[in-house]
Amino acid sequence: MESIQAIKQRFGIIGNDPKLNRSIEKAIQVAPTDISVLVTGESGVGKESIPKIIHQLSHRKHGKYIAVNCGAIPEGTIDSELFGHEKGAFTGATSTRSGYFEVADGGTIFLDEVGELPLTTQVRLLRVLENGEFIKVGSSKVQKTDVRIVAATNVNMFEAIKKEKFREDLYYRLSTVEINLPPLRDRKDDIHLLFRKFASDFALKYKMPTVKLTDDAVGLLLKYRWNGNIRQLRNVAEQVSVLEQNRTINGVTLQNYLPNTGSNLPAVVSSTKSESDFSSEREILYKVLFDMKSDLNDLKKLTMELMKTGTTSDVQKDNEHLIQKIYGDDKEEDFEASIEDLEVLSIPAHTSHTDQPEEISTENEDKYHFAEEIEEEETLSLHDKELELIKKSLERHSGKRKLAAAELGISERTLYRKIKQFDL
Ligand SMILES: Nc1ncnc2c1ncn2[C@@H]1O[C@H](COP(=O)(O)OP(=O)(O)O)[C@@H](O)[C@H]1O
Ligand SMILES: [Mg+2]
């Protein structure tokens, strides 16, 4: 069996990502069998190499290899393209024609973008997969073929099945083995490697010195979302190679070639939902702040009382409802402590402090003392709320900090600090 490295070299596959290696390994393993394979992954991740590897390493390698882009063939002609037609089957069918399934007998057919197949064609495909039988358009004669099928899709097949755009039985028949290729953003170690390879290829092609990236440009490359994956990276490398006079490319220059990097945000965050969640969370925060403000006013009132009477027991008695409101039942002890602290400050009793500057300063200290207490409470409650917001946001984005930070309107670094702080 050829090694993964040798296969990569033979098929021009760059990268050392473990997930990529695993996918190639899987392709090597299934190649000698006739098992149907479904290659999945976003657009531009390199799905097209997989069926080629499978065909080349199989006993069919001397047979035909036909790649069909199911999304590019008009619905009206696809059955005829795949299965052929009889003379006179439809207007313009002036002669009998063989379809790919007949031509590729003994070989491999790669059905790219298989999710785009019309439902009627899916029925025909299921039949050919199950027993090798097919019927030309406009014919009634059943024909036999021996074709291995490798299909690829960049759409979520379960979604397509749910929407009844794709037959579930066909999906299971096609995906006996599934080979998934990871998106480029999940192959961080390969990004710069691929860029260097493309830059060097384009330098050769256009007979110019190879472009080089500065560290900040490399940083940008790694941070970018690459929705178009390797295809997009290759395009960027080509544009930069052709257009930039200065062959050292910094971040500012590179940025011009990366659409939307400014807000390197998730493409679509189910906005309506998160917005409504967020506004209700904001409401909770407002309520907490409002309650705290009301507590603060009550505490001010208590303080005034204390300053006037100077005896804690009277204050306690006369303001039971306030104490109850601010501290609740279980906070009795805390309140005692606060009162004791106040006594330590020895507020002079029965003084009209307005005309005594020193006492005014005591009053300030006293207020300050309470403010501190309140501040502590405020910080605590806010922390709890913040913690809740962060937790929710992280949950919503399944732990993806970048998305959560964007939603919370804080930097990723700040979010990281908070996660550490709250031990999340
Ligand atoms: N690992 C890789 N190394 C080098 N080039 C790659 C690699 N993966 C993909 N490419 C290139 O990226 C482009 C898109 O690949 P393709 O197989 O057409 O993607 P998909 O079919 O998944 O949309 C092609 O030009 C391909 O040669
Ligand atoms: Mg493709």
Side-chain angles (χ1 to χ4, degrees):
M1 197 187 278
E2 265 182 88
S3 73
I4 296 177
Q5 283 313 321
I7 292 292
K8 279 193 212 164
Q9 208 155 30
R10 191 166 146 198
F11 291 87
I13 299 171
I14 313 288
N16 289 309
D17 180 83
K19 286 191 258 0
L20 173 74
N21 287 346
R22 178 73 196 112
S23 299
I24 296 171
E25 194 184 3
K26 252 178 154 177
I28 299 171
Q29 283 168 336
V30 293
T33 71
D34 269 341
I35 291 174
S36 316
V37 176
L38 181 67
V39 188
T40 56
E42 291 177 16
S43 179
V45 289
K47 294 188 289 295
E48 282 167 40
S49 311
I50 300 291
K52 287 181 191 154
I53 296 172
I54 292 176
H55 177 71
Q56 285 301 326
L57 300 189
S58 75
H59 64 268
R60 298 171 178 271
K61 67 178 175 196
H62 300 298
K64 280 211 157 52
Y65 172 81
I66 298 180
V68 185
N69 186 339
C70 304
I73 303 173
E75 196 168 330
T77 53
I78 194 153
D79 283 355
S80 153
E81 289 282 328
L82 293 175
F83 305 103
H85 62 251
E86 285 295 341
K87 185 176 172 178
F90 46 86
T91 328
T94 49
S95 58
T96 299
R97 180 184 177 274
S98 299
Y100 301 137
F101 275 89
E102 193 172 337
V103 175
D105 195 2
T108 308
I109 289 186
F110 170 43
L111 294 175
D112 201 1
E113 295 184 37
V114 74
E116 304 291 321
L117 276 183
L119 281 162
T120 48
T121 315
Q122 291 178 31
V123 179
R124 287 174 180 267
L125 181 59
L126 185 63
R127 182 167 182 186
V128 89
L129 270 162
E130 278 179 339
N131 48 28
E133 288 177 1
F134 69 98
I135 302 173
K136 276 197 177 91
V137 177
S139 166
S140 53
K141 200 178 95 202
V142 176
Q143 290 181 248
K144 277 275 208 185
T145 187
D146 169 27
V147 171
R148 198 237 185 110
I149 302 209
V150 181
T153 180
N154 58 16
V155 300
N156 183 335
M157 295 300 268
F158 290 112
E159 281 286 299
I161 292 167
K162 225 165 61 192
K163 288 184 188 154
E164 299 190 343
K165 285 187 173 162
F166 206 85
R167 292 181 64 108
E168 194 172 6
D169 46 7
L170 178 60
Y171 167 75
Y172 287 113
R173 195 65 190 72
L174 282 172
S175 61
T176 312
V177 167
E178 185 172 326
I179 297 181
N180 177 258
L181 288 173
L184 187 57
R185 76 188 78 88
D186 290 350
R187 297 169 49 186
K188 294 261 185 261
D189 288 346
D190 288 347
I191 296 179
H192 192 202
L193 186 70
L194 278 157
F195 185 90
R196 285 200 304 263
K197 165 77 171 90
F198 293 142
S200 125
D201 288 352
F202 290 122
L204 262 178
K205 183 172 171 189
Y206 297 114
K207 301 184 175 56
M208 290 164 102
T210 312
V211 289
K212 279 212 164 58
L213 298 179
T214 60
D215 286 349
D216 66 322
V218 174
L220 199 61
L221 216 57
L222 300 190
K223 242 178 48 194
Y224 191 64
R225 202 176 145 77
W226 299 114
N227 283 332
N229 293 291
I230 299 166
R231 185 179 289 116
Q232 187 186 5
L233 179 69
R234 194 164 174 270
N235 287 347
V236 168
E238 181 163 25
Q239 289 177 44
V240 172
S241 299
V242 172
L243 298 174
E244 289 303 320
Q245 293 283 322
N246 184 345
R247 307 308 277 175
T248 302
I249 311 295
N250 61 25
V252 178
T253 308
L254 183 65
Q255 180 103 39
N256 297 328
Y257 295 88
L258 307 177
N260 297 327
T261 25
S263 61
N264 199 6
L265 289 178
V268 187
V269 193
S270 56
S271 51
T272 44
K273 189 179 173 292
S274 55
E275 239 171 60
S276 67
D277 281 353
F278 221 59
S279 66
S280 69
E281 277 159 4
R282 199 179 298 140
E283 266 165 41
I284 295 170
L285 268 176
Y286 280 148
K287 191 177 171 334
V288 170
L289 286 171
F290 188 79
D291 288 347
M292 271 191 305
K293 172 114 180 148
S294 150
D295 281 358
L296 180 64
N297 283 338
D298 292 338
L299 283 166
K300 272 187 189 160
K301 216 158 141 193
L302 262 182
T303 318
M304 280 310 278
E305 262 333 280
L306 265 171
M307 282 187 297
K308 273 188 205 145
T309 65
T311 43
T312 54
S313 54
D314 284 353
V315 172
Q316 277 188 72
K317 222 186 288 155
D318 294 343
N319 295 284
E320 245 173 311
H321 71 286
L322 271 187
I323 293 164
Q324 175 71 25
K325 182 169 172 273
I326 303 167
Y327 295 99
D329 280 328
D330 47 340
K331 289 287 174 70
E332 214 50 54
E333 270 176 40
D334 290 355
F335 180 69
E336 294 283 356
S338 307
I339 298 285
E340 267 166 38
D341 284 353
L342 265 182
E343 282 179 327
V344 174
L345 284 170
S346 59
I347 303 160
H350 311 289
T351 42
S352 109
H353 43 267
T354 40
D355 52 359
Q356 292 180 38
E358 278 145 72
E359 279 153 16
I360 289 169
S361 79
T362 321
E363 183 203 8
N364 287 340
E365 253 181 76
D366 168 14
K367 270 187 177 164
Y368 179 67
H369 177 83
F370 255 108
E372 249 191 341
E373 291 266 332
I374 291 159
E375 229 173 64
E376 232 175 75
E377 247 197 69
E378 179 177 303
T379 334
L380 247 183
S381 315
L382 277 176
H383 276 187
D384 286 348
K385 281 289 133 200
E386 201 183 0
L387 179 66
E388 209 176 294
L389 282 177
I390 291 173
K391 262 190 184 158
K392 272 196 182 156
S393 186
L394 282 168
E395 267 170 33
R396 254 200 300 278
H397 297 296
S398 17
K400 287 196 175 131
R401 283 182 199 159
K402 184 173 280 178
L403 301 188
E407 187 183 56
L408 293 162
I410 54 176
S411 69
E412 234 186 318
R413 184 195 295 248
T414 309
L415 178 59
Y416 180 67
R417 259 199 299 117
K418 304 251 178 221
I419 289 170
K420 282 248 169 223
Q421 180 189 348
F422 294 133
D423 202 18
L424 286 172

